[in-house]
Amino acid sequence: MTLRRHPDPSWISLTAGRLLLRGDESLSSRHRQSLLARRCRDTGFAFSATVAAEPVSPRQAAGLVHIYNTRLWHHLHLTWDEELGRVLRLGVCDLGRYSEPMPPVPVAPGPVRLRLVVDAAAARFGWAQGADAPWQAAGPVLDAARLSDDYATVGDAATGHYSSWGFTGAFVGVCAQDLTGARMPAEFGDPCYRSRAGTGAVGPAAAR
């Protein structure tokens, strides 16, 4: 699924099994996001994809997203650091409050494999680079229970006054942002979603 915009060749395309996204607005935007995701239908699952992107500004990013809405998400992404160069960052938005629970990790040039593993309320990101490289943890264990209808509903049950409602469920997918306006391209390959219960695997890499 896409978020509030129809798939259009101006920002999303699929060629030879690789998905191209052109970076657009931030994950907190309600307008023009470059995001493609699928609904999380399992309490335990793993999702992975390879990302190839060359950001040249801290305002450019591309990676995996575990998202409920524009105010609740986890985002492992490639971006640029003025001192370290290309890095991996982990961003967390908790009801509109943004934080980064790990320091930036320098990453060598070339494609990077990113992964999210969810077991009930525990969400763990990881990354690897190179054909035989082992997975490395990216940040701490995150609370996947926050990406839920109950947590997203904000208000006072006693008075019946609510400022927002939750009803969408969580999604996992890929996205690209470019707040410079240059619309940085990001390629994603080998997407794989697998149920931790052994069912529900989809995508071209499901058998790997």
Side-chain angles (χ1 to χ4, degrees):
M1 296 184 179
T2 59
L3 184 62
R4 298 189 181 93
R5 68 194 302 197
H6 293 292
D8 183 282
S10 66
W11 70 273
I12 183 172
S13 60
L14 184 66
T15 304
R18 297 190 68 82
L19 176 75
L20 175 69
L21 294 180
R22 293 196 173 276
D24 220 316
E25 298 179 5
S26 76
L27 285 170
S28 295
S29 172
R30 296 185 178 184
H31 302 284
R32 301 178 63 82
Q33 288 202 39
S34 292
L35 182 150
L36 184 67
R38 58 156 292 157
R39 189 180 299 278
C40 303
R41 297 179 177 175
D42 307 282
T43 57
F45 68 87
F47 176 74
S48 62
T50 299
V51 56
E54 297 299 333
V56 294
S57 166
R59 304 179 72 188
Q60 296 175 323
L64 298 193
V65 64
H66 190 203
I67 186 170
Y68 183 89
N69 59 23
T70 57
R71 302 178 72 241
L72 279 171
W73 40 262
H74 304 149
H75 183 210
L76 181 64
H77 55 280
L78 284 171
T79 185
W80 181 263
D81 183 274
E82 296 294 354
E83 296 182 357
L84 301 174
R86 197 175 74 147
V87 296
L88 269 179
R89 288 188 183 274
L90 177 60
V92 173
C93 189
D94 185 353
L95 295 178
R97 298 182 296 270
Y98 181 78
S99 62
E100 294 185 354
M102 78 171 195
V105 178
V107 178
V112 181
R113 189 82 169 153
L114 303 181
R115 179 175 72 175
L116 171 66
V117 177
V118 172
D119 287 303
R124 300 172 177 85
F125 280 100
W127 71 285
Q129 190 172 27
D132 301 318
W135 287 104
Q136 303 180 59
V141 176
L142 301 176
D143 185 1
R146 292 180 178 177
L147 307 186
S148 66
D149 297 349
D150 290 341
Y151 190 79
T153 300
V154 179
D156 187 342
T159 63
H161 295 292
Y162 292 88
S163 58
S164 66
W165 294 91
F167 60 89
T168 66
F171 286 73
V172 64
V174 295
C175 59
Q177 297 80 36
D178 191 343
L179 304 186
T180 71
R183 307 187 72 231
M184 176 194 73
E187 280 195 344
F188 299 89
D190 301 321
C192 180
Y193 178 98
R194 291 185 182 179
S195 167
R196 300 283 284 176
T199 61
V202 298
R208 298 180 185 178

